[in-house]
Amino acid sequence: HGAEPYCAGLLPTLRPADLTRRNMSPRGRYAVIDDALGRAGRGLRVSGEQRLRMRSDTFCAQGAASSWQIHLTVRPEEFTRVHNAAQLMTAPVLAVAANSPLLLGRRAWDESRIPWYEQAFGQHRRRVAPADRRSGFGHGWLRGGVRELAEEAVRRYAPLVPLCSDGDWDRPLRPGGPPALDELRLHLGTLWWWNRPVYDPAGDGHLRIELRALPSGPTPADMVANTALLTGLILDRAAREPGGELPFALARENFYTAARDGMAARLWWPAGPAAPVRLAARDLVRALLPRAAAGLAAAGVADDEVQRWLGVVEARVLTGRSGAHWQRRTHRALGSDDRATVRRYLELSSTGAPVHSWPAPQARVRGKAKGTGRGGSSR
């Protein structure tokens, strides 16, 4: 079709008229979910360098968000520790991976995709507590494994899609195999937690944690580097720590602070028996790089790959140039021209070079040439 891939958390040239139900996929599942969530007017708003407000009567607005989602297979007995590690480590990685600062032509959060996605489900209303939102960060450290999350999902949230499987709920896909749990899997698929449990009955069955918080882009190299950093930190933390030493309220605060401020974020971090400390995200990630390397090495990743991909992260942190930083500066330099920003982004991302190596944008020169007054050359 002559299309060009644009890897970013949000496409700057989108406009409200693009995010309507007429542009929804014809698959029935989406219309059913949209109707079940209620089509009363939803107010979406994100404040940042510039403010944005929009009214919508459909959850199609979340179609503006493009994530880079990683599925990490987890043994049942390790699920609690790995999930808690993912909840703790997501914020610092998100801070240095942010790539969604331009929302409908406005410069908002460094990762505007996060609040926009949540609000698109109509959850901005004050009467909806954070723990009861169908998309969000969660409400506490996990203690009882994946069963705790499944029970919470059934207890707190009404089903959205009225489909039932044939036969008993615990029937296996094949004789002697694990139960299919069709309705439960469908129900979990209508909860959009940023770190979400996935049960798959295929083969002998397995559990995964879907890590949904990272944005797409800017290049495949950046996405591999983000993956290496996040999975390395999760695996290392889960192997060393039984749980979170940080109050969960601070872990949740970290997540939204990282999304808002990107590399400029200051994040709470556990300090052993002492009170949590607050650190600059860039300094924290640099300090955590050896831990990520240890986690990847323990998982059998070759040392040259560990050094290559974590080196991309280190260079990004040293230069201070994330995808969000580059887009924000370029958008300003080009006079808030969304299309020119997208064209320049495409030119550079097509090279495959990580974003920290992209040249700084040059500001447009505005104004008229003025003569010397006596036939001299103009400047």
Side-chain angles (χ1 to χ4, degrees):
H1 297 284
E4 230 178 326
Y6 184 88
C7 293
L10 294 166
L11 178 63
T13 51
L14 283 174
R15 291 297 179 263
D18 300 315
L19 305 175
T20 62
R21 187 153 175 163
R22 72 173 180 273
N23 287 333
M24 184 187 291
S25 164
R27 291 181 63 187
R29 176 176 185 264
Y30 300 113
V32 169
I33 292 175
D34 205 26
D35 290 336
L37 287 171
R39 298 189 62 195
R42 301 166 191 164
L44 294 90
R45 55 187 180 271
V46 181
S47 297
E49 183 180 339
Q50 297 172 318
R51 293 185 179 183
L52 177 85
R53 294 193 176 201
M54 187 184 106
R55 298 290 294 176
S56 174
D57 64 352
T58 172
F59 86 134
C60 269
Q62 61 92 358
S66 182
S67 302
W68 171 246
Q69 296 173 6
I70 305 153
H71 287 239
L72 190 60
T73 304
V74 182
R75 288 196 290 266
E77 64 272 17
E78 297 176 348
F79 192 94
T80 295
R81 292 169 66 142
V82 177
H83 187 271
N84 286 341
Q87 293 283 78
L88 179 66
M89 293 300 179
T90 294
V93 179
L94 180 63
V96 300
N99 193 37
S100 313
L102 304 179
L103 176 60
L104 304 185
R106 308 286 180 86
R107 296 188 294 273
W109 287 21
D110 265 24
E111 195 50 56
S112 304
R113 176 183 54 95
I114 297 294
W116 188 257
Y117 188 86
E118 291 187 5
Q119 292 178 32
F121 293 101
Q123 299 174 149
H124 63 284
R125 297 185 296 272
R126 292 180 180 177
R127 68 175 180 269
V128 181
D132 294 327
R133 296 173 180 170
R134 299 190 83 98
S135 175
F137 189 71
H139 72 283
W141 297 116
L142 193 61
R143 304 298 180 205
V146 69
R147 184 186 182 97
E148 179 183 333
L149 290 178
E151 290 177 346
E152 177 187 342
V154 172
R155 184 178 66 253
R156 287 182 180 271
Y157 305 99
L160 292 184
V161 182
L163 295 177
C164 297
S165 62
D166 298 328
D168 297 331
W169 67 271
D170 59 349
R171 66 178 177 84
L173 290 177
R174 57 178 177 77
L181 304 182
D182 291 334
E183 288 93 344
L184 179 61
R185 289 190 291 123
L186 179 63
H187 185 54
L188 290 174
T190 62
L191 301 173
W192 296 275
W193 298 328
W194 292 111
N195 292 309
R196 181 166 72 174
V198 177
Y199 166 67
D200 192 332
D204 294 328
H206 67 268
L207 293 172
R208 304 194 300 270
I209 298 176
E210 184 183 32
L211 310 171
R212 301 167 49 84
L214 298 184
S216 176
T219 67
D222 289 299
M223 290 187 280
V224 174
N226 295 338
T227 304
L229 178 63
L230 182 57
T231 54
L233 289 176
I234 290 172
L235 295 174
D236 177 73
R237 175 78 180 182
R240 293 187 302 109
E241 302 290 347
E245 299 159 356
L246 193 70
F248 189 80
L250 295 184
R252 184 194 289 121
E253 179 184 326
N254 278 353
F255 178 74
Y256 294 102
T257 300
R260 184 187 66 225
D261 299 335
M263 284 206 189
R266 293 185 61 81
L267 306 177
W268 294 103
W269 205 247
V277 296
R278 207 167 193 180
L279 303 171
R282 291 172 63 178
D283 295 338
L284 175 58
V285 170
R286 286 191 68 189
L288 289 173
L289 284 173
R291 303 291 0 145
L296 293 171
V301 180
D303 183 65
D304 59 339
E305 289 224 60
V306 173
Q307 299 306 317
R308 176 185 179 186
W309 298 116
L310 294 185
V312 171
V313 175
E314 184 174 26
R316 190 191 305 160
V317 171
L318 289 173
T319 60
R321 188 174 297 165
S322 64
H325 176 268
W326 187 92
Q327 288 188 66
R328 193 184 294 278
R329 285 189 61 187
T330 300
H331 197 247
R332 286 198 211 99
L334 297 179
S336 300
D337 188 328
D338 303 326
R339 292 184 180 277
T341 301
V342 167
R343 283 195 296 268
R344 185 61 177 146
Y345 187 100
L346 279 170
E347 289 171 7
L348 293 170
S349 62
S350 66
T351 69
V355 70
H356 72 265
S357 66
W358 292 7
Q362 298 297 316
R364 284 179 173 171
V365 178
R366 296 179 179 270
K368 297 180 180 179
K370 294 183 179 181
T372 63
R374 292 204 175 184
S377 62
S378 61
R379 293 189 179 184

